[in-house]
Amino acid sequence: MSFATAPRLSAGIPDDAPVLANAPLRPGFSRDSLSRYGDDSWDLGPAVFRENARRCHVTAHFCVVSDPAVARCLREYLHARLNIDLPGYPPPLAPASLRQAFNRARRFFEFTRTELGRCDLARVDQGLLNRYAKMLRDARCRPVIVAQLVAVVFDLYTYRARLPTAGLAIEPWPGRVPSQVAGYRFVPGENLTPRIPEEVMTPLLAWSLRYVTVFAQDILAARYERLRLEERQAELAAADAALSPDERRARRRSRLADYLEERRRQGRGVPVWTTAHNGKVRRDPVTGAVTPPVNWLLLHQHAGIDVHIEKKAHLQLTTGAPDLVTAAIDAIGIEIGGMDTPIAADPDTGRPWRPRFDAKTLAHEERMLQAACYVLCAYLTGMRDCEVQAMRAGCLLLTRSADGVIERYRIRSVAYKGKASGGERADWVTIEPVADAIRILEQLSAHAAAAIGSDTLWPVLDRQRGSKDHISAEIVRQLNLYRDHLNMLFGNLGEPVVPCGPTGAPWRLTTRQFRRTIAWHIANRPFGTIAGMIQYKHAWVAAFEGYAGTSRSGFRAEVEAERRLGQLDDILRYFDERQAGSALFGPAAARVGRALDAAVEELQPWPGMIADRGRLTAPCSPPLPALCMLASSPTVSSIRRVPSACAAPPTPIAVRRSSPSASRPGAPTPA
């Protein structure tokens, strides 16, 4: 059926019609429970399978649109894009792109209302469309963004037979496509996602390994202690409920006195919080020193008091036990944190890696451990964020090679890119540090995941901080908080353990950077500083033998692309040095030298420099036969350079190999 002859809907879509007619739904959801066409808000979460999808991306709120005509057009357009599959046209809109499509279409409909006085698509002409495109360009939108916004206009014409009031009667920009209207030209080239600088990645990876292998045991032990304290607190409170108020008070004072006496015998002080909070501090009545306030929460847990239920039973009140606490502080002093879990020694310093825990610092360290596990899983596997966050308890498998000798760690997760909305099961074979991180995650996430009825490895650990169940896009904020936490806990003033980026500001971590960075390091620095930590040779084997991602994930192709780009960079450096007077020696020196001289004839550069380096690397430019053939040669790695007598010696650089160097001061050195 052609678009021109398709029957136009004579009436609108019923308000009680489900928003999604055919899209697959996650287990546990039925189509009857979906949002309806006439609802003020649409929530397509049941049709989004990716665990890292943000809730705001899968919802649309029509109640924020003041003009009913604009809201009506938005409903029609979104419903058509979500449910109608036209031959020869892009597939239906993915439910996870709902908010994005909502915002793009709303921009055009509101522009139409401003231009015409009301949102009437029947009155739209080519002049209005030209003004819309000009407005977008004048707003300094990038051409690719203009193309995406203009594509909505083409949709309104393509789906016009299925849109009761929102269809366009005229063909927009006949004979042209959105990219031509926007002046956008796609040029394939190097991945533009920034790589994490090595001076940033080295300590970040090293401290993440330290968190998983050393610090995690303390954090998990402290969590177990906290759970035991909460259970005992509930049991004591329940037993005291049958007593009279005076008996309850006496019994609780007795428990508190016993606890403080035990602290005295252990040579420990009265617990205070690690940091002041809510603007409250404690001032020592003798010395005048300011400290964080007393950790009344911990005292209440040992005394069996739940102040959420009995606010008047607070020990700080005059009817509680402030006299016992004050006397104990005078006698035995204070202790930061106060929990009983001992703190392991930092292997580098021999001192405890942090003060003892309290409830707040424990919750914070749990989130930092989760971030450390993410760094290892995302960086050392090459998995995408959606693939990492699809990991569930039991995803780690230990298998043996065909000869029964080599043990391999296999991760079972879901690949989404280029797949149906539900994704496709895939395996990643990885190395031992990732396996260690997954084992820690299974313990760390078990309680929070069980609370929401899930087996995900990435739940929100502290439910009091928000209403979300899954960490989703919050991981980006958590990773940067983790970077700052490392600097605060292990760094010195003016000397952070995770240094700033090239601009002098803290390097902002994003999830996409890890996959790009590991691909580049595997391809270009197999023996560099980081290589000494994680054995990149193993990761390289992983990329090409099935480790670190199957062919479904596309990681192998990304490593190959980075290898080719890195080798071309080496060739350009050889070119510059030869122009400066250096000589080459080695098995392929004569052939490579001829190829570089041929490139000089072709480029005609000024002495000692390449006139237009972009001509060498831009995929759309005519290839230079000499350098392109040289870049694909496996013999390049055998080249060595000899500086000429009249030229300043260039800095020696081993081709695609950097000699091991010492780790940055302050960063842990793995065994």
Side-chain angles (χ1 to χ4, degrees):
M1 182 182 297
S2 67
F3 298 151
T5 59
R8 179 177 291 276
L9 297 178
S10 59
I13 300 161
D15 284 348
D16 60 350
V19 171
L20 295 174
N22 302 303
L25 305 180
R26 285 187 291 152
F29 289 94
S30 67
R31 210 162 297 279
D32 292 338
S33 63
L34 286 176
S35 297
R36 301 290 164 167
Y37 182 81
D39 291 348
D40 287 338
S41 296
W42 291 359
D43 182 359
L44 303 190
V48 178
F49 291 79
R50 290 189 295 109
E51 298 282 6
N52 68 334
R54 300 180 64 179
R55 181 174 178 80
C56 63
H57 290 173
V58 303
T59 56
H61 304 291
F62 300 97
C63 54
V64 302
V65 181
S66 58
D67 189 331
V70 171
R72 182 179 64 251
C73 289
L74 281 170
R75 278 191 171 89
E76 293 179 10
Y77 170 73
L78 294 174
H79 187 270
R81 287 292 289 115
L82 287 166
N83 295 285
I84 298 175
D85 189 3
L86 295 179
Y89 203 70
L93 182 71
S97 300
L98 175 66
R99 178 67 66 86
Q100 186 180 67
F102 176 93
N103 292 336
R104 291 173 180 173
R106 180 183 179 183
R107 190 163 185 171
F108 175 69
F109 291 140
E110 291 186 341
F111 177 84
T112 301
R113 182 194 61 189
T114 301
E115 289 285 307
L116 302 178
R118 61 192 179 95
C119 185
D120 185 358
L121 276 295
R123 295 171 53 195
V124 171
D125 57 18
Q126 189 60 54
L128 183 146
L129 300 181
N130 292 337
R131 293 193 297 275
Y132 181 62
K134 182 177 184 301
M135 182 271 293
L136 296 176
R137 290 191 293 266
D138 291 346
R140 296 186 178 180
C141 294
R142 290 188 295 129
V144 63
I145 302 300
V146 175
Q148 293 167 352
L149 292 168
V150 168
V152 172
V153 179
F154 285 80
D155 289 345
L156 297 177
Y157 177 74
T158 302
Y159 290 89
R160 65 191 184 281
R162 315 297 180 93
L163 301 175
T165 63
L168 275 184
I170 65 166
E171 181 180 1
W173 297 285
R176 302 171 70 185
V177 295
S179 60
Q180 293 173 327
V181 175
Y184 169 64
R185 181 184 179 188
F186 173 72
V187 179
E190 184 179 3
N191 189 340
L192 297 181
T193 300
R195 297 190 302 265
I196 303 173
E198 186 167 6
E199 60 271 17
V200 173
M201 193 65 235
T202 297
L204 183 68
L205 178 63
W207 283 110
S208 298
L209 289 167
R210 180 69 53 87
Y211 252 87
V212 168
T213 58
V214 179
F215 305 158
Q217 301 308 317
D218 292 351
I219 296 171
L220 295 175
R223 163 186 277 198
Y224 181 63
E225 177 189 347
R226 177 177 59 82
L227 292 176
R228 290 201 325 271
L229 277 173
E230 292 172 351
E231 292 173 357
R232 181 173 180 274
Q233 178 187 24
E235 292 172 358
L236 294 175
D240 291 348
L243 303 176
S244 67
D246 289 341
E247 289 176 320
R248 281 201 302 271
R249 179 173 179 270
R251 181 171 294 186
R252 289 164 176 173
R253 283 179 62 91
S254 176
R255 292 182 192 130
L256 178 61
D258 292 342
Y259 170 70
L260 295 175
E261 175 60 23
E262 179 62 25
R263 304 281 291 194
R264 185 192 65 76
R265 285 196 297 267
Q266 295 175 357
R268 300 171 60 189
V270 175
V272 299
W273 292 99
T274 304
T275 58
H277 52 275
N278 299 328
K280 295 182 178 179
V281 295
R282 170 188 168 274
R283 186 176 298 276
D284 190 284
V286 178
T287 65
V290 176
T291 70
V294 172
N295 189 344
W296 294 103
L297 173 63
L298 186 58
L299 298 182
H300 286 144
Q301 289 174 332
H302 283 280
I305 302 172
D306 187 347
V307 293
H308 293 95
I309 298 175
E310 294 182 81
K311 290 183 169 43
K312 294 182 179 180
H314 200 296
L315 293 173
Q316 193 175 11
L317 299 176
T318 55
T319 55
D323 53 326
L324 294 180
V325 175
T326 300
I329 292 176
D330 293 339
I332 61 178
I334 61 174
E335 176 186 282
I336 298 294
M339 292 182 67
D340 292 337
T341 299
I343 305 300
D346 187 318
D348 287 344
T349 64
R351 298 189 301 271
W353 64 275
R354 63 153 297 117
R356 287 184 186 259
F357 292 105
D358 58 40
K360 292 183 179 296
T361 55
L362 174 58
H364 183 70
E365 286 291 1
E366 287 177 349
R367 297 176 66 216
M368 298 302 96
L369 177 58
Q370 187 180 49
C373 291
Y374 184 93
V375 170
L376 297 183
C377 292
Y379 183 68
L380 298 183
T381 64
M383 298 169 74
R384 296 182 177 88
D385 177 56
C386 57
E387 297 161 351
V388 172
Q389 295 206 37
M391 292 162 51
R392 298 184 176 278
C395 68
L396 179 65
L397 307 174
L398 181 62
T399 60
R400 290 186 177 272
S401 59
D403 57 8
V405 176
I406 302 175
E407 292 184 341
R408 293 180 176 176
Y409 295 100
R410 187 180 300 272
I411 302 172
R412 182 155 295 169
S413 188
V414 182
Y416 287 101
K417 187 170 183 178
K419 310 297 186 295
S421 59
E424 181 179 319
R425 301 289 288 183
D427 288 354
W428 286 258
V429 185
T430 187
I431 53 182
E432 189 172 5
V434 179
D436 293 338
I438 292 175
R439 295 189 186 103
I440 293 298
L441 277 173
E442 289 181 333
Q443 299 177 65
L444 185 66
S445 62
H447 185 74
I452 59 175
S454 174
D455 60 351
T456 179
L457 291 183
W458 305 101
V460 173
L461 298 176
D462 188 357
R463 296 295 304 280
Q464 296 180 353
R465 296 179 61 88
S467 59
K468 293 196 303 182
D469 293 335
H470 198 277
I471 195 170
S472 184
E474 180 64 22
I475 189 61
V476 174
R477 190 195 311 270
Q478 195 161 317
L479 287 169
N480 288 281
L481 183 64
Y482 173 58
R483 175 207 62 211
D484 296 339
H485 175 72
L486 291 175
N487 289 333
M488 181 187 69
L489 194 59
F490 304 108
N492 299 316
L493 185 62
E495 189 180 357
V497 295
V498 181
C500 295
T503 63
W507 180 267
R508 184 178 184 275
L509 298 165
T510 65
T511 55
R512 292 186 178 185
Q513 294 171 1
F514 292 102
R515 180 179 171 98
R516 172 81 201 281
T517 305
I518 186 63
W520 185 85
H521 276 293
I522 289 175
N524 294 279
R525 298 286 184 90
F527 301 106
T529 301
I530 303 180
M533 298 180 182
I534 62 165
Q535 299 177 319
Y536 272 144
K537 184 176 181 180
H538 293 176
W540 186 89
V541 172
F544 291 92
E545 295 281 341
Y547 290 33
T550 63
S551 58
R552 295 185 183 93
S553 74
F555 184 66
R556 186 182 307 184
E558 292 191 25
V559 172
E560 274 296 301
E562 294 292 346
R563 184 189 64 80
R564 289 191 296 270
L565 287 169
Q567 196 166 48
L568 184 55
D569 285 341
D570 291 339
I571 295 299
L572 297 181
R573 294 170 68 185
Y574 294 147
F575 184 96
D576 288 341
E577 292 179 11
R578 186 168 179 82
Q579 289 295 100
S582 297
L584 303 172
F585 74 93
R591 185 175 66 83
V592 171
R594 288 193 297 271
L596 294 176
D597 293 339
V600 172
E601 294 295 327
E602 191 170 350
L603 285 172
Q604 293 296 320
W606 290 99
M609 63 176 292
I610 294 178
D612 185 2
R613 188 177 294 268
R615 290 176 57 195
L616 296 177
T617 57
C620 59
S621 63
L624 298 175
L627 288 186
C628 289
M629 292 179 61
L630 186 58
S632 62
S633 171
T635 61
V636 172
S637 59
S638 65
I639 302 172
R640 301 170 187 259
R641 295 167 302 290
V642 176
S644 65
C646 61
T651 303
I653 302 175
V655 180
R656 295 204 307 111
R657 296 170 183 252
S658 60
S659 60
S661 59
S663 299
R664 182 185 182 279
T669 304

